Amino acid sequence: MPTSDYDPACLPDLLPLYYRRLFPFSHYYRWLSYGGVSKNYFQNREFSFTLKDDIYVRYQSFTTQNELEKEMQKMVPYKIDIGAVYSHRPSQHNAVKSGTFQALEKELVFDIDMTDYDDVRCCCSAADICSKCWTLMTIAIRILDRALREDFGFHHLLWVYSGRRGVHCWVCDDAARKLSVAARSAVAEYLSLVKGGEEAVRKVVLSDPIHPFINHSLSVVERYFRQYAIVDQDILGSKESVDKVLALLPDDIKKDLTIYYQEEKNPMKRWERLCTLVEHKKSSVKKGGQYFDKEIMLQYCYPRLDVNVSKGVNHLLKSPFSIHPKTGRISVPIDLKELNTFDPFEVPTISLICEELERPRADEAEDDDLKDKENEQEAGERRRIRDYKRTSLAKYVKVFVRFLEAMARSRKGEMLKKSDLQKDF
Amino acid sequence: MQFPGRRKKLVGSSQNDLYEHCLQFYGQPPLENISLTEFETFAVERLKLLKTVENLGVSCVKNSETYIKKLDAEISSLNFPLKAELGEQKVQGGISEYEKRRKDHISHFILRLAYCQTEDLRRWFIQQEMDLFRYRFNHLHSKHKTDFLHKNNLKYETVSAEEKKNLQDKLIASSYGLSGTKVEEHDVYKVPFQDALDLVRTRKVYLLAGNAYIPHHEIVTIVLNDFRTRLSKALAMTARSLPAVHSDERLQPLLSHLSHAYVGQDYSIQKNIGKISLEQIDALSGKSFPLCMRHLHKALRENHHLRHGGRMQYGLFLKGIGLTLEQALQFWRSEFVKGKVDADKFDKAYAYSVRHMFGKEGKRTDYTPYSCMKVILSNPPSQGDYHGCPFRHSDPELLKQKLQNYKVSPSGINQILELVKGMHYQLACQKYFELTHNVEDAGFSLNHPNQYFTESQKLLSGGRDIKKEVDTSQRSQENPASVTRPSQANSKQAQEEMGDLDSFFQDE
């Protein structure tokens, strides 16, 4: 699909257009206001902008949706990050008595970055991704989404494509936004299974009994493992990758496989042999379970998250619907119902949607006359809604809106519950 | 609390109600009068106890036999409460259980005064008090545990028999030491996961819909959470009332002595500012850096980059050995520029972080270099990281290879690996020191990377004789530098009184 080849040099021209006519400000504002339940929630939210020439400005805050629009259109940020909701307006933090300006709440966030898997993917490295390794993101999303909902009881999760090589998750429940640093770090550690830096060879160690969370995660990994790791990544193909896998096994199994692999070149058969040997060893050894095959699957596929991103209440994270300056792609929400067919290379770039904007409009002439009578802001609003609907951005905004509506329904439910309890009729 | 000069006798029996249980949450401060002598003694003895808790915590596995034996011995010898029954006959010449509990109560509150002042002190105090509390709670009989929960109004929701049955397999698979019968017979508590963070963090509990399902015998973790929260708040409040306490001249020298005694040196005050030149760093990294910093330096030179965790750990260490801000900026920039970062980007992105480390940005906190405990216990490295403690975080095979590369003898390497297996990471590093400096005994108890560097430099510049048996008198000469702070203006009389305290704080 043509993405209207994106050229970073065009950003200065495309961004103003994007912020004027395409960025979904009203939905964005609706999201960050959270129903207006807490006073000044939007006003006390920190944003940070990276402007042209890498100029970075923090502690941006806005009092209304209008002000947000005007400022973004004026400053034309290349990157937008969202931070915490503070005790005071971030733009006035210098005026506040030292020590009293504090981050109070923020969504619980997760950042899955493909570079963290460089030691286990052979198709790409660093900032590159391809359809083969994208499966890792699919696996990550499935595992984390289930755990955050079923184990932790969260309901409102927004998964977003980062624009280049990963995905972000924004957990927006009330309870999530109020979590302490310790709680966030505990959640992130609960979800971590792959541990160790450059120096650790074996990064996953399982022991009996296996926690239900690990079992759930394993069943997801198992669904994808053969196609992803054995076929696509060919981890049992070349000598180099085979050696890496063998390094995770005990000596006796390693020896057996080295000999077996001299004859058997079919990777699937090689994997099956490995599993058989592990099963065998497990049933013959009395002490505890030995899960080398499962550990291998997890080491190659299980989500790797950066605990530090999730830990901090004041940590800034790239905003949904912002642009990735290197790729031009928009950070779009991911529809989990279509997760299997999500293709990062199909995500629209800013050049594409700006180009789509210019295409002749088929049926909107009549609307124009009616709307001209309304005031300028509303007219601008409608025009913008019409605008993005004509572009590839439309379907992603729909995902976002569904997410917002679910939160609105839930808030309404909460309020009814509360008023019932107070017997307000 | 009031502190008259004279010793006052206590009224015995009516006080019994105060100390019904051998364990307490320290919710109410003591209301009696005590003598200065008792004040001092209580405080010092509790500090000794907490230091023991800390040392045992790094050198033994918690709740191993050695740990239990040693801690029991220390608690008894210092006359702190251990047994659960009050009203025992006073042992001939010994101290009654009641008096032990009173000491426990009062000494805790005194140490609060000393340890509420800074983040670091608070964190340390809370950590040791929690470990002590956990230990004592775990050694209560089940009946006494329930007693304690009731007396302190901790009502946790129990799970219905039906739900227990449905979740039985999952519960057994999640919680240590649970069997089918145990699930049936004993209570399982349902608690919001935010109240069970320690269990969640280590995945030692079953989670469903935001609730943690805690078996009876694990309830201590929840209680500890509560303990930590209360203590943390209390310390914050205590800090606010500190000026009033400090105005009492009898107390101020003792309290500051207490809080400095634990920390020893934290290397926040640089002694040798500007005495190290950048050209020396490569050579120094081989000779006088502990393994973790040598590792970080090498990674930096090879990759021309370090991630945040590595920059913090190594950057603060360099500050501790005496690098100035200007030197640090030059050092980091020259290295990063050789990599993918151009000078401009460095100035925009990384320079800020270096200045932050030196307290020139943001909150302007002058960060202290990380101690061994901090490096070992917090922020474990992941893919692409080079920080952490190699003895703790490296694969033993890779560690062995690295030591071989650094020309450590095979027998030495084996000794180190044995220590690593026993989880004695700091001792392993000490052994590395001994092997690389060719001494039999390091002569110090390693707990800080900058300490390693200082000791190494001292040794190499002939400050000490090589291979000499270090006797106690020599040791007591080395420690005072870490115990008394020259910045305090102590009166001569106070110093004489303090003389005895030094002997309490010799490292074993």
Side-chain angles (χ1 to χ4, degrees):
Chain A
M1 176 174 163
T3 48
S4 264
D5 295 340
Y6 164 75
D7 175 7
C10 295
L11 268 186
D13 299 315
L14 297 173
L15 280 174
L17 189 57
Y18 180 65
Y19 293 133
R20 237 181 342 108
R21 293 178 63 188
L22 293 162
F23 188 94
F25 284 106
S26 63
H27 300 305
Y28 194 72
Y29 177 80
R30 190 180 161 198
W31 170 37
L32 295 174
S33 304
Y34 286 98
V37 173
S38 291
K39 219 173 84 154
N40 290 325
Y41 211 68
F42 182 81
Q43 289 74 4
N44 289 346
R45 170 80 70 164
E46 180 191 1
F47 295 85
S48 76
F49 293 157
T50 305
L51 310 176
K52 201 157 85 112
D53 297 328
D54 276 334
I55 299 177
Y56 182 64
V57 289
R58 267 192 79 174
Y59 300 112
Q60 305 299 295
S61 62
F62 312 99
T63 45
T64 59
Q65 177 187 330
N66 203 31
E67 193 185 324
L68 173 72
E69 285 183 37
K70 292 274 176 305
E71 285 304 306
M72 275 174 62
Q73 283 155 5
K74 192 168 81 178
M75 298 172 102
V76 190
Y78 277 39
K79 293 196 230 181
I80 305 170
D81 289 338
I82 300 179
V85 176
Y86 282 80
S87 51
H88 305 76
R89 291 192 194 169
S91 57
Q92 298 171 343
H93 73 285
N94 284 320
V96 176
K97 194 168 100 175
S98 128
T100 40
F101 179 70
Q102 299 195 352
L104 299 178
E105 295 188 16
K106 191 177 71 71
E107 294 75 9
L108 171 63
V109 294
F110 296 95
D111 180 353
I112 320 280
D113 187 328
M114 201 71 91
T115 42
D116 290 338
Y117 296 80
D118 278 357
D119 62 321
V120 292
R121 53 174 185 148
C122 60
C123 50
C124 315
S125 68
D128 298 325
I129 57 166
C130 70
S131 52
K132 283 192 196 162
C133 49
W134 186 259
T135 315
L136 288 170
M137 294 295 118
T138 310
I139 295 175
I141 295 177
R142 291 224 184 275
I143 291 179
L144 296 177
D145 195 75
R146 184 214 68 81
L148 289 167
R149 286 178 197 280
E150 291 178 15
D151 295 9
F152 288 98
F154 295 125
H155 299 106
H156 304 291
L157 277 61
L158 182 69
W159 284 95
V160 182
Y161 172 54
S162 75
R164 187 160 63 157
R165 60 189 194 212
V167 294
H168 300 156
C169 178
W170 295 77
V171 185
C172 300
D173 295 55
D174 224 54
R177 285 178 276 129
K178 295 183 155 73
L179 288 176
S180 65
V181 171
R184 286 163 205 259
S185 126
V187 173
E189 303 234 14
Y190 175 94
L191 297 171
S192 298
L193 272 181
V194 179
K195 304 205 164 138
E198 298 293 321
E199 298 298 296
V201 175
R202 197 168 153 214
K203 299 192 166 114
V204 182
V205 180
L206 298 178
S207 49
D208 265 334
I210 300 213
H211 191 282
F213 164 77
I214 300 182
N215 273 326
H216 279 299
S217 309
L218 266 171
S219 59
V220 175
V221 169
E222 278 163 5
R223 281 212 310 266
Y224 291 89
F225 185 76
R226 282 166 188 240
Q227 180 61 40
Y228 164 73
I230 307 296
V231 178
D232 293 342
Q233 293 292 323
D234 198 25
I235 64 174
L236 290 178
S238 73
K239 176 166 192 326
E240 199 190 330
S241 13
V242 168
D243 282 344
K244 276 201 194 147
V245 177
L246 292 184
L248 304 173
L249 293 161
D251 286 334
D252 50 349
I253 299 189
K254 205 190 298 193
K255 231 179 273 180
D256 184 308
L257 289 175
T258 312
I259 301 176
Y260 183 84
Y261 289 178
Q262 272 163 9
E263 294 305 318
E264 181 57 73
K265 302 294 178 195
N266 178 316
M268 201 59 78
K269 291 232 163 62
R270 286 179 162 184
W271 173 248
E272 257 139 47
R273 172 95 183 161
L274 192 157
C275 294
T276 317
L277 289 175
V278 171
E279 259 319 298
H280 214 285
K281 182 161 174 134
K282 186 159 105 165
S283 49
S284 65
V285 170
K286 252 187 263 184
K287 166 186 161 174
Q290 312 241 311
Y291 299 106
F292 299 106
D293 51 345
K294 299 198 199 292
E295 288 170 1
I296 291 174
M297 288 198 279
L298 292 173
Q299 182 151 337
Y300 276 81
C301 298
Y302 184 86
R304 299 172 177 211
L305 29 101
D306 185 350
V307 176
N308 290 317
V309 169
S310 309
K311 218 162 59 169
V313 179
N314 53 6
H315 190 100
L316 292 146
L317 187 65
K318 187 162 194 287
S319 167
F321 295 107
S322 62
I323 310 292
H324 197 299
K326 296 219 170 78
T327 61
R329 298 212 192 262
I330 305 177
S331 278
V332 292
I334 300 177
D335 185 356
L336 291 202
K337 293 205 259 318
E338 315 275 310
L339 184 58
N340 285 332
T341 51
F342 180 84
D343 180 357
F345 298 101
E346 295 287 286
V347 169
T349 59
I350 188 176
S351 2
L352 175 68
I353 58 176
C354 285
E355 192 221 327
E356 284 170 335
L357 207 53
E358 301 306 316
R359 290 196 201 134
R361 294 143 52 164
D363 52 350
E364 284 148 340
E366 327 127 41
D367 292 352
D368 278 350
D369 303 320
L370 282 169
K371 277 20 174 214
D372 275 345
K373 295 196 198 131
E374 297 169 64
N375 71 46
E376 208 187 283
Q377 187 188 347
E378 280 190 34
E381 194 62 59
R382 283 187 203 280
R383 210 180 304 127
R384 191 159 37 229
I385 295 178
R386 279 203 304 274
D387 282 344
Y388 78 66
K389 283 196 178 159
R390 289 160 47 206
T391 69
S392 310
L393 197 55
K395 76 171 185 181
Y396 299 101
V397 178
K398 266 211 194 100
V399 176
F400 190 53
V401 171
R402 274 205 301 269
F403 165 76
L404 295 177
E405 282 170 354
M407 282 208 293
R409 278 194 300 272
S410 155
R411 272 194 296 269
K412 194 157 163 220
E414 275 304 308
M415 273 167 31
L416 284 175
K417 248 198 267 175
K418 269 201 197 122
S419 69
D420 280 351
L421 284 173
Q422 291 166 3
K423 310 220 187 288
D424 285 348
F425 290 101
Chain B
M1 256 166 106
Q2 291 168 338
F3 308 109
R6 261 183 284 152
R7 183 186 263 277
K8 220 171 178 191
K9 280 223 188 107
L10 281 177
V11 178
S13 54
S14 68
Q15 305 272 358
N16 268 353
D17 308 327
L18 258 188
Y19 299 129
E20 262 181 1
H21 204 285
C22 75
L23 199 56
Q24 59 163 297
F25 258 154
Y26 308 105
Q28 296 303 321
L31 293 173
E32 45 178 293
N33 298 330
I34 68 170
S35 70
L36 266 186
T37 319
E38 235 186 356
F39 184 90
E40 224 177 275
T41 319
F42 279 5
V44 163
E45 293 193 346
R46 190 181 192 87
L47 187 55
K48 269 198 108 183
L49 178 59
L50 293 185
K51 276 206 93 185
T52 307
V53 169
E54 178 186 26
N55 286 334
L56 289 179
V58 270
S59 54
C60 312
V61 177
K62 285 190 187 151
N63 282 322
S64 67
E65 263 191 58
T66 351
Y67 183 88
I68 296 178
K69 217 171 46 177
K70 289 194 176 172
L71 194 47
D72 266 0
E74 187 76 357
I75 293 179
S76 303
S77 80
L78 289 170
N79 290 314
F80 281 100
L82 193 53
K83 305 231 177 29
E85 309 297 341
L86 185 61
E88 285 175 2
Q89 300 292 49
K90 187 167 171 180
V91 177
Q92 185 72 326
I95 304 201
S96 75
E97 188 60 27
Y98 169 80
E99 290 187 11
K100 291 185 188 175
R101 295 180 190 186
R102 173 178 166 266
K103 176 173 172 175
D104 179 41
H105 185 206
I106 296 177
S107 60
H108 171 90
F109 276 88
I110 299 176
L111 287 190
R112 278 196 196 181
L113 295 173
Y115 283 87
C116 63
Q117 298 170 69
T118 70
E119 261 313 306
D120 275 345
L121 289 175
R122 287 189 225 184
R123 211 175 294 139
W124 182 86
F125 183 65
I126 292 178
Q127 181 64 51
Q128 312 320 322
E129 285 284 343
M130 275 180 54
D131 282 347
L132 180 61
F133 184 94
R134 182 192 292 117
Y135 179 78
R136 291 164 64 191
F137 186 88
N138 277 334
H139 283 75
L140 292 175
H141 280 304
S142 184
K143 167 171 125 50
H144 293 123
K145 277 187 190 156
T146 321
D147 256 355
F148 179 80
L149 290 177
H150 287 166
K151 282 207 174 67
N152 286 280
N153 284 321
L154 296 168
K155 296 186 181 77
Y156 295 119
E157 198 186 309
T158 47
V159 171
S160 71
E162 195 188 330
E163 202 181 353
K164 268 199 286 183
K165 194 137 170 270
N166 289 336
L167 296 176
Q168 186 162 338
D169 290 334
K170 302 226 163 82
L171 291 174
I172 296 176
S174 331
S175 296
Y176 179 72
L178 255 195
S179 64
T181 20
K182 274 202 188 152
V183 172
E184 268 182 59
E185 290 173 358
H186 297 278
D187 283 332
V188 174
Y189 300 88
K190 192 158 103 173
V191 157
F193 83 87
Q194 291 92 328
D195 292 344
L197 291 183
D198 283 335
L199 291 174
V200 172
R201 179 193 316 276
T202 49
R203 214 182 298 115
K204 290 204 163 91
V205 70
Y206 180 62
L207 281 189
L208 184 61
N211 286 315
Y213 287 70
I214 323 248
H216 180 89
H217 66 275
E218 296 256 32
I219 205 70
V220 66
T221 333
I222 314 303
V223 175
L224 269 178
N225 239 13
D226 209 312
F227 183 75
R228 186 208 277 121
T229 321
R230 293 187 197 202
L231 187 52
S232 194
K233 286 205 185 110
L235 285 178
M237 273 177 49
T238 312
R240 284 199 271 276
S241 9
L242 216 47
V245 177
H246 272 173
S247 63
D248 188 326
E249 310 161 336
R250 300 167 297 173
L251 300 181
Q252 196 251 15
L254 172 66
L255 291 177
S256 45
H257 208 276
L258 283 175
S259 56
H260 290 139
Y262 121 69
V263 159
Q265 275 234 58
D266 63 359
Y267 300 92
S268 57
I269 296 183
Q270 297 159 249
K271 289 227 173 107
N272 302 309
I273 304 181
K275 290 218 183 118
I276 310 269
S277 77
L278 294 183
E279 295 75 45
Q280 293 174 289
I281 294 189
D282 279 326
L284 284 174
S285 76
K287 283 191 297 190
S288 293
F289 282 10
L291 197 59
C292 55
M293 302 303 173
R294 188 174 182 178
H295 183 49
L296 278 164
H297 181 72
K298 187 151 175 281
L300 176 62
R301 286 283 191 231
E302 278 173 17
N303 304 322
H304 308 300
H305 188 271
L306 273 184
R307 281 195 180 175
H308 183 259
R311 293 200 301 273
M312 285 303 282
Q313 186 176 323
Y314 189 39
L316 287 172
F317 170 77
L318 289 176
K319 182 173 86 151
I321 69 175
L323 242 55
T324 62
L325 173 57
E326 289 64 41
Q327 284 178 307
L329 283 169
Q330 201 186 332
F331 175 74
W332 291 100
R333 187 203 272 115
S334 69
E335 204 50 58
F336 272 52
V337 158
K338 286 184 203 152
K340 294 189 202 156
V341 177
D342 63 61
D344 240 15
K345 172 136 193 237
F346 178 85
D347 286 332
K348 279 176 195 152
Y350 296 101
Y352 177 93
S353 150
V354 178
R355 283 200 300 278
H356 208 277
M357 267 188 244
F358 279 75
K360 300 278 185 282
E361 295 283 356
K363 284 194 304 197
R364 319 255 152 175
T365 315
D366 207 4
Y367 291 96
T368 53
Y370 297 168
S371 64
C372 289
M373 289 271 263
K374 183 158 179 164
V375 172
I376 291 172
L377 295 175
S378 54
N379 196 17
S382 4
Q383 179 58 29
D385 287 323
Y386 294 90
H387 63 264
C389 171
F391 301 102
R392 163 78 177 87
H393 297 118
S394 282
D395 196 89
E397 270 310 305
L398 288 175
L399 178 61
K400 184 169 168 181
Q401 275 174 40
K402 194 180 299 175
L403 292 170
Q404 282 167 342
N405 281 341
Y406 293 153
K407 311 253 188 312
V408 179
S409 70
S411 64
I413 294 184
N414 281 336
Q415 286 180 297
I416 291 182
L417 290 178
E418 272 308 304
L419 288 168
V420 166
K421 212 156 79 167
M423 299 194 353
H424 306 304
Y425 310 115
Q426 284 154 270
L427 294 176
C429 193
Q430 237 170 271
K431 175 85 0 200
Y432 169 77
F433 180 95
E434 286 161 6
L435 294 164
T436 50
H437 290 73
N438 210 12
V439 290
E440 263 172 31
D441 186 340
F444 63 97
S445 208
L446 179 66
N447 55 38
H448 200 295
N450 285 90
Q451 179 193 24
Y452 184 110
F453 179 81
T454 316
E455 291 292 334
S456 170
Q457 286 288 285
K458 222 195 290 184
L459 193 58
L460 294 174
S461 63
R464 284 168 42 187
D465 294 328
I466 301 180
K467 282 206 186 209
K468 180 175 173 175
E469 298 294 309
V470 183
D471 69 346
T472 38
S473 60
Q474 206 179 11
R475 274 200 215 187
S476 61
Q477 273 168 27
E478 290 167 58
N479 276 326
S482 59
V483 172
T484 30
R485 280 289 171 110
S487 50
Q488 296 291 355
N490 280 327
S491 69
K492 187 166 185 289
Q493 192 195 23
Q495 264 189 323
E496 279 168 12
E497 286 172 356
M498 294 304 125
D500 279 322
L501 276 174
D502 281 350
S503 61
F504 279 126
F505 300 118
Q506 303 303 330
D507 276 331
E508 244 71 63

